[in-house]
Amino acid sequence: MSRTNQYWDAPAEALSRDELSALQLQRLIKTIEQVSLSPFYQARFRECGITPSSIRTLEDIRRLPLTTKTDLRNQYPYGLLCVEREKLVRLHVSSGTTGQATAVFYSRHDVDHWADLMARCMYMTGARPGDTFQNLTGYGLFTGGLGFHYGSERLGLLTIPSGAGNSKRQIQLMQDFSTTVFHIIPSYALRLMDIMTEMGMDPKRDLSLRIAYLGAEPYSEEVRRRVEDFYGIDVYNSYGLSEMNGPGVAFECPYKCGMHIWEDAYFVEIIDPETLEPVPDGTLGELVLTTLNREAMPIIRYRSKDLTRILPGECSCGRVHLRLDRIQGRSDDMFIIKGVNIFPVQVEQVLMNIEEVGNNYVIILRRENNIDRMIVRVEVTDRIFVEDMRHLQRIQKKIAHDLRGELLITPDLELVEPHALPGTEGKAVRLIDERRI
Ligand code: ADP
Ligand code: ZN
């Protein structure tokens, strides 16, 4: 890969490690000054005796207090604001998957910088002017829609703001305007596969798709493979969260071996969620992020609750920006059954590796007579129901066996027909814990 023409933003992407660290320090100090304007951080810094001059090296960041989602909720709506109201041009509210929403404000500078980050991500994967980009995610308060939209326009792609849902129309748009690049939530990408199959379509033959960006919820390598095979495309993992702008925090390059975090814009730490101490590269922990180039609402050491690791070593693309492993899930997604800790994505990984398994599943946890039960309700291909019972039993046995191998417990299985489970166009609900209801 040539280093000269593969960067959309060479001054930020083609830095050496030393140059990147110097830029980070300079931006961190500026951020501390800026964030000290908010009532919330003023009080926090006073408590900890922090002033902008406390930060001399990047390691000094550990002296700063952590910020949690609860802090953001308590400060709702304006407690973290660092500019006058007249400087604000945008408000997003996190989708509230895990409780009361949080507000994030953007100045003109922030919206511009975010669009640059997104353009950089898309360019990195090979999207170019002349491509048609279809954005199949919700617009509005969810940051995924407008984040990609602005990035795509900044890059100069023909941008179709189709939003989520209305699948037949989506397919029509793909056909009429020869969509080449699209952005979609993984569970909706799977559902759209079923709809295309039902319509007798083969996207490899009937469409012009080349590239897709999948993110906003955890998904497994097996889902990536299914989606790539079916549509005949390259899938790139996209990570972000509203508190850090939205998408564009970390993104895969053509080597697809972890997502580069844009360290000129975000300072990254991985901590042990219990001790709050940093963990070595390669070790799983909680992702903690600090904005380095945000004006309206900088956030220091934000505990994302997302569990991942830094992949050690250098990437073949030449970028020195650290790479994050696939996000395993939020610490809140983990459930405990019969003493075993499980993430829904572990179940998915097993299911999607089995050819006869369809594209949707849900995990149900139930307590009956004081005994916990885990039920995996999963769609299987039509064929299974028309073939003889022995075949069905064999598949059932195989799924149970493979799940036991991964989880160390055997869940109860309910095999259902395609489309039997409710589909979503937004983030999928993979776990129903009836024990909490
Ligand atoms: P909410 O927190 O209400 O869901 P957001 O839209 O800000 O609202 O969601 C951000 C969260 O989505 C992240 O913290 C992470 O848990 C999840 N997420 C985003 N991208 C990915 C991805 N590529 N893989 C796994 N999880 C992701
Ligand atoms: Zn790379």
Side-chain angles (χ1 to χ4, degrees):
M1 203 184 210
S2 128
R3 289 182 66 112
T4 48
N5 63 357
Q6 294 295 327
Y7 300 116
W8 190 77
D9 187 356
E13 288 177 79
L15 298 168
S16 68
R17 192 71 229 175
D18 285 349
E19 289 165 336
L20 185 53
S21 299
L23 179 65
Q24 284 196 304
L25 183 59
Q26 182 201 325
R27 288 188 168 172
L28 179 62
I29 292 168
K30 201 168 155 217
T31 299
I32 303 301
E33 284 165 10
Q34 177 72 3
V35 89
S36 305
L37 299 172
S38 80
F40 170 73
Y41 280 111
Q42 262 168 25
R44 270 287 162 92
F45 287 179
R46 211 175 310 119
E47 276 164 31
C48 316
I50 301 283
T51 62
S53 61
S54 313
I55 300 295
R56 298 226 153 79
T57 68
L58 286 173
E59 284 67 45
D60 288 338
I61 197 166
R62 294 207 200 109
R63 300 174 51 198
L64 301 176
L66 292 156
T67 308
T68 62
K69 191 141 192 146
T70 310
D71 292 328
L72 262 56
R73 284 184 182 137
N74 292 342
Q75 297 305 313
Y76 184 91
Y78 293 121
L80 283 146
L81 205 56
C82 295
V83 293
E84 312 80 63
R85 285 282 297 274
E86 302 80 72
K87 280 200 105 173
L88 299 178
V89 301
R90 178 87 70 79
L91 162 70
H92 277 285
V93 172
S94 91
S95 39
T97 310
T98 56
Q100 198 215 302
T102 52
V104 185
F105 298 100
Y106 306 69
S107 66
R108 164 83 46 220
H109 160 89
D110 297 335
V111 167
D112 263 359
H113 177 58
W114 184 21
D116 281 335
L117 286 175
M118 288 309 307
R120 190 198 294 187
C121 294
M122 298 168 88
Y123 188 92
M124 175 166 70
T125 63
R128 293 290 181 274
D131 273 311
T132 300
F133 172 70
Q134 193 165 327
N135 200 9
L136 290 85
T137 58
Y139 274 68
L141 292 173
F142 172 60
T143 50
L146 285 173
F148 268 89
H149 184 100
Y150 272 59
S152 167
E153 287 191 350
R154 176 66 49 94
L155 181 52
L157 313 185
L158 170 58
T159 306
I160 311 182
S162 56
N166 206 342
S167 303
K168 298 241 157 86
R169 178 124 188 268
Q170 298 279 6
I171 294 165
Q172 190 70 50
L173 288 165
M174 286 178 173
Q175 276 175 326
D176 293 351
F177 302 101
S178 304
T179 299
T180 46
V181 183
F182 63 114
H183 172 221
I184 189 165
I185 288 185
S187 42
Y188 186 36
L190 291 168
R191 176 144 173 255
L192 202 59
M193 280 161 58
D194 288 342
I195 294 168
M196 286 188 182
T197 307
E198 234 172 44
M199 291 166 69
M201 270 187 80
D202 175 3
K204 294 198 270 294
R205 182 192 60 209
D206 305 325
L207 299 173
S208 316
L209 304 171
R210 259 178 353 98
I211 295 172
Y213 307 121
L214 268 65
E217 66 182 10
Y219 63 109
S220 57
E221 208 46 54
E222 285 67 24
V223 164
R224 185 214 302 261
R225 206 170 313 131
R226 271 188 185 216
V227 173
E228 288 193 331
D229 290 350
F230 180 83
Y231 294 97
I233 56 172
D234 280 304
V235 165
Y236 296 99
N237 199 0
S238 152
Y239 171 78
L241 58 167
S242 313
E243 293 80 1
M244 296 286 127
N245 286 339
V249 174
F251 216 82
E252 279 182 329
C253 74
Y255 290 89
K256 298 184 193 168
C257 50
M259 300 178 282
H260 287 289
I261 312 161
W262 297 127
E263 289 182 87
D264 52 300
Y266 302 97
F267 187 87
V268 60
E269 299 169 82
I270 308 274
I271 63 166
D272 178 323
E274 302 291 326
T275 65
L276 308 182
E277 289 301 317
V279 301
D281 286 0
T283 307
L284 193 70
E286 179 178 344
L287 178 66
V288 171
L289 292 163
T290 300
T291 62
L292 292 177
N293 195 6
R294 210 154 67 156
E295 185 180 47
M297 194 176 145
I299 301 181
I300 304 290
R301 304 193 78 204
Y302 182 64
R303 291 189 62 178
S304 68
K305 291 194 170 181
D306 288 328
L307 299 178
T308 182
R309 71 189 99 229
I310 300 277
L311 295 174
E314 280 166 22
C315 185
S316 313
C317 77
R319 289 175 186 83
V320 298
H321 304 72
L322 290 173
R323 287 165 302 147
L324 284 185
D325 198 3
R326 198 170 270 289
I327 311 283
Q328 195 170 347
R330 293 185 222 236
S331 41
D332 309 328
D333 294 339
M334 193 190 76
F335 61 91
I336 303 178
I337 184 117
K338 297 181 179 161
V340 184
N341 298 354
I342 300 174
F343 279 94
V345 79
Q346 288 176 271
V347 174
E348 175 183 294
Q349 200 178 306
V350 171
L351 295 177
M352 296 293 158
N353 231 342
I354 300 171
E355 200 190 325
E356 291 84 355
V357 166
N359 288 326
N360 206 350
Y361 69 95
V362 63
I363 302 161
I364 299 152
L365 306 178
R366 200 170 275 170
R367 182 164 293 148
E368 283 169 1
N369 305 323
N370 282 324
I371 297 174
D372 281 352
R373 275 179 73 200
M374 171 176 169
I375 301 156
V376 175
R377 193 171 288 160
V378 55
E379 291 183 5
V380 287
T381 48
D382 265 339
R383 236 174 333 119
I384 292 186
F385 293 99
V386 292
E387 285 175 25
D388 65 81
M389 274 309 282
R390 273 210 309 271
H391 186 55
L392 187 64
Q393 282 162 355
R394 210 171 52 237
I395 299 303
Q396 185 138 12
K397 242 184 169 160
K398 176 165 173 49
I399 299 174
H401 172 268
D402 290 3
L403 282 173
R404 185 177 174 77
E406 169 69 29
L407 311 176
L408 308 174
I409 59 163
T410 315
D412 297 328
L413 284 177
E414 288 178 15
L415 305 191
V416 297
E417 291 178 30
H419 302 300
L421 298 175
T424 67
E425 288 116 23
K427 300 190 187 215
V429 178
R430 296 297 192 197
L431 181 70
I432 301 170
D433 194 345
E434 293 178 354
R435 302 174 303 181
R436 289 187 202 149
I437 297 170

